[in-house]
Amino acid sequence: MATLQALIFDVDGTLADTERDGHRVAFNQAFAEAGLDWVWSVELYGELLAVTGGKERIRYYLENFNTDFVLPENDVAFIADLHQSKTAHYTALLESGGIPLRPGVKRLLNEAREKCLRLAIATTTTPINVEALLVNTLGKESMEWFEVIAAGDIVPAKKPASDIYDYALQEMQLDADVCMAFEDSENGILSSRGAKLRTIIAINDYTKDHDFSGAALVLDHLGEPGQRFTVLSGDAYGADYVDIALIEKLMQG
Ligand code: XBP
Ligand code: MG
C-alpha cells in the first residue's frame, strides 16, 4: 500500500488566483510600455490560457487573435523582451501584496511540514514569479520548504506535457505512487496524470468548465475549518477541508 511522502503543487490558479488580476494585468502593462495597442481582456485571456507559458501565449495570441501584426525578424528576442518586461510588472504587483493565497493553502503546507512530508512545485511560470509569490505570501523562509521548485523553461515542453512533473519526481527520487499533486486546470491535470500522479483539483473561474477526468477529487477550493469546500466530483469521505488525513485516504484509491 502506497504511503504518502510528498505533495507537489502547481502555482498559478492553485496556490493563488494569479491569472486574471496578476499575469493578465502585467502582460497589458508590458504591452502598453512597449507602445503596443494590444489589450488582453478578462474574456480573451480565458481563451489565451489554452496555451501555458507567457512567451508561448504571446505567440499564440499573434498567430490566432492578432494576425495583422507583423513580427520583427528577430521574433524570438522581441517576444522574450516583452515577456521580461511582463515578469518585472508581475513581480512588482506581487510585492505590493496584490494577490493572496487561496483558502487552505497555507494551512495544508503547515500541516505537511509538521508531518515531515516533502514538498515540491511544478509550474510553467517563470522561476522568479514563484519566488515572488512565496516570499510575499508566506515569507522568505518558505523558499526552503520546497525541496524542488520545477518552473518555466527548465523543461522544453510545458504543460500539458508531463515533463515538469517527471522532472520534479526525478529530482526527488520518488515514485508518483507516493505523491499527491494539486492542480487547477485541464492542462495541469493532463501533465500531472501524464506523470501518473494522483491529483486533487481546486477549480477557479477560468477552469470551472475544464475536463478533470482522472482526478482523485475536484473541489471549488481546498477548504478551511469554518469554510467548507464543495465537492464537484469524487469522494471526500465526509471531510470539510483537505488535510493530510483526507489525502491519505485518497491515496488508497
Ligand atoms: C501557468 C501558466 C503561466 C502563467 C504565466 O500555468 O501558463 O504561463 O500564466 O507565467 P500552470 P509566465 O498553472 O498550469 O503552470 O509568463 O512566467 O510564463
Ligand atoms: Mg495552474
Side-chain angles (χ1 to χ4, degrees), residues 10-15 18-19 123-124 159 182-185 188 204 207:
D10 168 49
V11 174
D12 296 303
T14 298
L15 294 185
T18 49
E19 293 291 8
T123 174
T124 68
K159 300 175 189 176
F182 293 83
E183 273 290 351
D184 70 303
S185 71
N204 58 56
T207 67

Short mmCIF file of all heavy atoms in Angstrom, two decimals, residues 10-15 18-19 123-124 159 182-185 188 204 207, ligand 2:
data_model
loop_
_atom_site.label_atom_id
_atom_site.label_comp_id
_atom_site.label_asym_id
_atom_site.label_seq_id
_atom_site.Cartn_x
_atom_site.Cartn_y
_atom_site.Cartn_z
N ASP A 10 1.06 22.83 -8.24
CA ASP A 10 1.06 23.84 -9.31
C ASP A 10 1.02 25.21 -8.61
O ASP A 10 0.69 25.29 -7.42
CB ASP A 10 -0.18 23.63 -10.18
CG ASP A 10 -0.43 24.78 -11.13
OD1 ASP A 10 0.52 25.19 -11.82
OD2 ASP A 10 -1.58 25.27 -11.18
N VAL A 11 1.29 26.27 -9.33
CA VAL A 11 1.31 27.61 -8.72
C VAL A 11 0.10 28.44 -9.18
O VAL A 11 -0.80 28.75 -8.40
CB VAL A 11 2.64 28.34 -9.04
CG1 VAL A 11 2.60 29.78 -8.53
CG2 VAL A 11 3.80 27.58 -8.42
N ASP A 12 0.11 28.79 -10.48
CA ASP A 12 -0.92 29.71 -10.97
C ASP A 12 -2.30 29.08 -10.93
O ASP A 12 -2.53 28.03 -11.55
CB ASP A 12 -0.58 30.17 -12.40
CG ASP A 12 0.70 30.96 -12.41
OD1 ASP A 12 0.75 31.98 -11.69
OD2 ASP A 12 1.65 30.58 -13.11
N GLY A 13 -3.20 29.70 -10.23
CA GLY A 13 -4.56 29.19 -10.12
C GLY A 13 -4.73 28.20 -8.99
O GLY A 13 -5.86 27.96 -8.55
N THR A 14 -3.63 27.63 -8.51
CA THR A 14 -3.72 26.60 -7.46
C THR A 14 -3.31 27.18 -6.10
O THR A 14 -4.09 27.15 -5.15
CB THR A 14 -2.83 25.39 -7.82
OG1 THR A 14 -3.31 24.83 -9.04
CG2 THR A 14 -2.85 24.33 -6.73
N LEU A 15 -2.10 27.73 -6.02
CA LEU A 15 -1.69 28.37 -4.77
C LEU A 15 -2.42 29.71 -4.61
O LEU A 15 -2.79 30.10 -3.51
CB LEU A 15 -0.17 28.62 -4.75
CG LEU A 15 0.75 27.40 -4.74
CD1 LEU A 15 2.20 27.85 -4.59
CD2 LEU A 15 0.38 26.42 -3.63
N THR A 18 -3.77 33.89 -9.61
CA THR A 18 -2.81 34.84 -10.18
C THR A 18 -3.12 35.28 -11.61
O THR A 18 -2.55 36.26 -12.07
CB THR A 18 -1.40 34.19 -10.21
OG1 THR A 18 -1.55 32.91 -10.80
CG2 THR A 18 -0.79 34.09 -8.84
N GLU A 19 -3.97 34.54 -12.30
CA GLU A 19 -4.07 34.79 -13.74
C GLU A 19 -4.79 36.09 -14.09
O GLU A 19 -4.20 36.97 -14.71
CB GLU A 19 -4.75 33.60 -14.45
CG GLU A 19 -3.92 32.31 -14.43
CD GLU A 19 -2.64 32.36 -15.28
OE1 GLU A 19 -2.27 33.44 -15.79
OE2 GLU A 19 -2.00 31.31 -15.41
N THR A 123 5.47 23.94 -12.11
CA THR A 123 4.70 25.01 -12.75
C THR A 123 5.32 25.42 -14.07
O THR A 123 6.51 25.20 -14.29
CB THR A 123 4.64 26.25 -11.81
OG1 THR A 123 4.01 27.33 -12.50
CG2 THR A 123 6.02 26.70 -11.39
N THR A 124 4.52 26.03 -14.92
CA THR A 124 5.08 26.53 -16.18
C THR A 124 5.55 27.97 -16.05
O THR A 124 6.15 28.51 -16.96
CB THR A 124 4.06 26.47 -17.33
OG1 THR A 124 3.04 27.41 -17.06
CG2 THR A 124 3.49 25.09 -17.50
N LYS A 159 3.38 22.21 -19.69
CA LYS A 159 2.09 21.52 -19.56
C LYS A 159 1.26 21.84 -20.80
O LYS A 159 1.34 22.96 -21.28
CB LYS A 159 1.36 22.00 -18.31
CG LYS A 159 2.12 21.74 -17.01
CD LYS A 159 1.37 22.37 -15.82
CE LYS A 159 2.23 22.31 -14.57
NZ LYS A 159 1.61 22.99 -13.41
N PHE A 182 -1.41 18.83 -6.87
CA PHE A 182 -2.51 19.79 -6.73
C PHE A 182 -2.53 20.68 -7.96
O PHE A 182 -1.51 21.32 -8.28
CB PHE A 182 -2.33 20.63 -5.46
CG PHE A 182 -2.48 19.82 -4.22
CD1 PHE A 182 -1.40 19.09 -3.74
CD2 PHE A 182 -3.69 19.73 -3.56
CE1 PHE A 182 -1.52 18.30 -2.61
CE2 PHE A 182 -3.83 18.94 -2.43
CZ PHE A 182 -2.75 18.22 -1.95
N GLU A 183 -3.66 20.74 -8.61
CA GLU A 183 -3.79 21.47 -9.87
C GLU A 183 -5.11 22.23 -9.93
O GLU A 183 -6.01 22.00 -9.12
CB GLU A 183 -3.71 20.48 -11.05
CG GLU A 183 -2.31 20.17 -11.54
CD GLU A 183 -1.65 21.36 -12.24
OE1 GLU A 183 -2.34 22.36 -12.51
OE2 GLU A 183 -0.44 21.29 -12.52
N ASP A 184 -5.23 23.10 -10.94
CA ASP A 184 -6.47 23.86 -11.12
C ASP A 184 -7.00 23.79 -12.54
O ASP A 184 -8.08 24.33 -12.79
CB ASP A 184 -6.24 25.34 -10.78
CG ASP A 184 -5.37 26.02 -11.82
OD1 ASP A 184 -4.24 25.55 -12.05
OD2 ASP A 184 -5.85 26.99 -12.44
N SER A 185 -6.25 23.20 -13.47
CA SER A 185 -6.65 23.32 -14.88
C SER A 185 -6.52 22.00 -15.62
O SER A 185 -5.87 21.06 -15.14
CB SER A 185 -5.76 24.36 -15.57
OG SER A 185 -4.45 23.84 -15.71
N GLY A 188 -3.08 21.32 -16.58
CA GLY A 188 -2.37 20.90 -15.38
C GLY A 188 -2.58 19.43 -15.08
O GLY A 188 -1.63 18.67 -14.82
N ASN A 204 -11.06 27.22 -10.53
CA ASN A 204 -11.29 28.66 -10.40
C ASN A 204 -12.18 29.11 -11.56
O ASN A 204 -12.59 28.29 -12.39
CB ASN A 204 -9.96 29.43 -10.33
CG ASN A 204 -9.10 29.16 -11.55
OD1 ASN A 204 -9.53 29.38 -12.68
ND2 ASN A 204 -7.89 28.64 -11.32
N THR A 207 -11.27 27.92 -15.00
CA THR A 207 -11.11 26.48 -15.26
C THR A 207 -12.34 25.66 -14.90
O THR A 207 -12.32 24.43 -15.04
CB THR A 207 -9.88 25.93 -14.50
OG1 THR A 207 -10.14 25.98 -13.09
CG2 THR A 207 -8.62 26.72 -14.80
MG MG B 2 -2.40 26.32 -12.84
#
